[in-house]
Amino acid sequence: ARAGYGVVIVILYMTFPGIYAIVAAAVNEAFGPIHYKANFGLLFTQSLAYCVVMLVMTKVPIIADELGYTGMFLVAGGCGLIGIIAVCFLPRHLSSTTSDQKPTKC
C-alpha cells in the first residue's frame, strides 16, 4: 500500500509542470494575444489571493474551529460561485476596436 501511494504521488508530481504549459496556451487561445499578459498574470494572482484566504481559514484557530471542514468547503464553493456569477456579467466582446489591433512585440 505504501509503495502504491508513493508511485501515485510521484506520477502526480511528474504531471504538475505540464499544467503551466497547458494553461498558458489556453489563456492565449481564450483571450487572444493582445490581452494575454494581463490575463495570465491575473490567473496566478487570484491563486495567491485564494491561498491566503485558505491559509487564514485553516491556521487561525478561532476561524478554523468555528467553520470546521464543512464551513471551509462552503466558503471555497462560495468563492467559486462568485467567480461564475462575475463571468456571466462580462461582455462577450471588449470592443470593436480591439479586434483590429496587432499584438505587441515585447
Side-chain angles (χ1 to χ4, degrees):
R2 282 186 138 183
Y5 178 76
V7 169
V8 169
I9 293 300
V10 167
I11 291 171
L12 177 69
Y13 278 96
M14 282 175 33
T15 62
F16 184 70
I19 289 293
Y20 292 110
I22 294 168
V23 167
V27 168
N28 188 31
E29 186 176 325
F31 298 107
I34 296 170
H35 303 290
Y36 168 75
K37 291 178 187 178
N39 288 315
F40 194 69
L42 286 172
L43 180 72
F44 286 99
T45 303
Q46 67 82 25
S47 161
L48 175 69
Y50 185 73
C51 287
V52 168
V53 169
M54 293 305 291
L55 180 70
V56 169
M57 284 193 327
T58 58
K59 297 300 179 188
V60 176
I62 296 171
I63 296 173
D65 292 341
E66 189 65 33
L67 286 176
Y69 177 76
T70 304
M72 289 181 203
F73 179 79
L74 292 173
V75 169
C79 290
L81 284 176
I82 289 170
I84 291 171
I85 291 168
V87 168
C88 290
F89 290 108
L90 289 175
R92 293 212 183 268
H93 303 287
L94 295 175
S95 71
S96 60
T97 58
T98 58
S99 62
D100 297 334
Q101 295 176 354
K102 302 250 186 227
T104 59
K105 302 272 185 201
C106 54

